[in-house]
């Protein structure tokens, strides 16, 4: 009887949270899937059931595939810098003997992560400005004026410029997480490796990398998932231009639904983003469960 009472009390405490999650998370997901089967004018309110036509349009939409490619590019570059680059930097910081220097460097690299994406986007928008921006002036000052051009105004460099801002903004946060993971490694392992005569590079590859693989896997999955949900930085800096060269799935969803008034098509894009991020989350849970490190 007591077990039943405890279970009932526990369910009573959990029930409000379950209701909120159901109403504000799962119900909108189900509704969005339903919206993706409609041709919906959100201004007039007219709706027409079109089945899977919106998904067929996705297959034939060159801007969507360009947006998907930009998300993939974003994910690859983010893995290189925010996972492997951050791990290397964290290992370098934690190898410094002075605790004061380690704390100072952690704080310095973390500061950009404390800046909102909107503010960071506006800051880099000014940096990239072709006439007044400091980037072109710096290139001219060091004799590289031939590379002076409109970074956000040309299709060949606009997306890379946006991605560069994002890496600057998120690099320190990833570095801090890896630093915490490295701090959990027992110092005796490094001491034993030093006694065996291994250098710093081999200690990094044979001690640090294997023992932070759980954090590496987690950061890889989080980084990929975040790359497919990019929105703010692109909207602030380019709004998807020039000529849709910086469109990502999030911005193309917004433009399709609220600018082109094709809400059903936007819902189909949102459903695809959900399927991709859900698959990444499931892979993350599977990976972390199988690759858990114990010592």
């Amino acid at each position: 009887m007591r077990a039943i009472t405890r279970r009932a009390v526990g369910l009573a405490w959990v029930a409000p949270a379950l209701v909120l999650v159901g109403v504000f998370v799962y119900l909108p997901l189900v509704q969005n899937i339903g919206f993706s089967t409609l041709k919906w004018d959100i201004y007039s309110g007219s709706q027409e059931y079109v089945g899977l036509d919106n998904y067929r349009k996705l297959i034939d939409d060159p801007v969507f595939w360009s947006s998907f490619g930009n998300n993939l590019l974003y994910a690859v570059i983010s893995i290189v810098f925010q996972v492997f680059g951050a791990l290397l930097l964290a290992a370098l910081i934690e190898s410094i003997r002075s605790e004061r220097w380690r704390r100072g460097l952690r704080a310095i690299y973390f500061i950009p992560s404390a800046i909102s994406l909107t503010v960071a986007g506006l800051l880099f928008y000014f940096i990239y400005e072709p006439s007044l921006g400091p980037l072109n002036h710096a290139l001219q000052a060091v004799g590289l004026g031939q590379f002076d051009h409109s970074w956000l105004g040309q299709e060949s460099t606009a997306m890379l410029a946006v991605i560069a801002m994002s890496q600057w903004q998120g690099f320190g946060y990833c570095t801090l997480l890896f630093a915490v993971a490295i701090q959990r490694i027992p110092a005796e392992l490094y001491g034993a490796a030093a006694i065996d005569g291994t250098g710093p590079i081999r200690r990094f590859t044979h001690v640090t990398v294997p023992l932070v693989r759980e954090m590496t896997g987690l950061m890889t999955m989080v980084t990929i998932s975040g790359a497919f949900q990019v929105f703010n930085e692109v909207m602030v800096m380019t709004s998807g231009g020039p000529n849709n060269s910086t469109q990502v799935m999030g911005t193309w969803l917004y433009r399709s639904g609220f600018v082109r008034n094709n809400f059903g098509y936007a819902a189909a894009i949102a459903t695809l983003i959900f399927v991709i991020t859900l698959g990444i989350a499931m892979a993350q849970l599977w990976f972390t469960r199988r690759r858990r490190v114990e010592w």
Side-chain angles (χ1 to χ4, degrees), residues 166-219:
S166 179
Q167 303 312 304
W168 173 85
Q169 201 269 344
F171 187 73
Y173 178 74
C174 298
T175 300
L176 187 63
L177 291 179
F178 276 117
V180 172
I182 293 173
Q183 291 170 14
R184 295 179 61 242
I185 300 176
E188 293 82 2
L189 297 179
Y190 288 108
I195 293 174
D196 290 340
T198 60
I201 296 178
R202 291 192 63 189
R203 286 199 296 272
F204 174 74
T205 57
H206 289 77
V207 179
T208 303
V209 172
L211 294 180
V212 298
R213 65 187 182 188
E214 185 177 350
M215 178 61 74
T216 303
L218 176 62
M219 290 303 302

Side-chain angles (χ1 to χ4, degrees), residues 119 176 292:
V119 174
L176 187 63
R292 192 173 300 277

Side-chain angles (χ1 to χ4, degrees), residues 139-153:
L139 290 174
Q140 294 171 1
V142 297
L144 297 175
Q146 65 270 26
F147 297 105
D148 181 350
H149 66 285
S150 177
W151 298 93
L152 296 177

Side-chain angles (χ1 to χ4, degrees), residues 73 77 128 151-152 155-165 246:
L73 177 65
I77 295 178
Y128 291 138
W151 298 93
L152 296 177
E155 297 180 26
S156 59
T157 59
M159 192 65 213
L160 293 175
V162 174
I163 294 175
M165 182 282 296
T246 60

Side-chain angles (χ1 to χ4, degrees), residues 71 74-84 167 170 174 178 215-230 280 284:
N71 282 108
Y74 199 104
V76 171
I77 295 178
S78 295
I79 289 174
V80 172
F81 285 94
Q82 296 191 21
V83 179
F84 299 109
Q167 303 312 304
C174 298
F178 276 117
M215 178 61 74
T216 303
L218 176 62
M219 290 303 302
T220 300
M221 298 303 172
V222 170
T223 300
I224 296 174
S225 178
F228 282 94
Q229 300 180 58
V230 173
I280 294 171
Q284 172 190 330

Side-chain angles (χ1 to χ4, degrees), residues 1-16 18:
M1 190 66 181
R2 289 183 177 179
I4 297 176
T5 303
R6 285 197 297 267
R7 184 175 300 177
V9 172
L11 290 175
W13 280 102
V14 173
L18 291 176

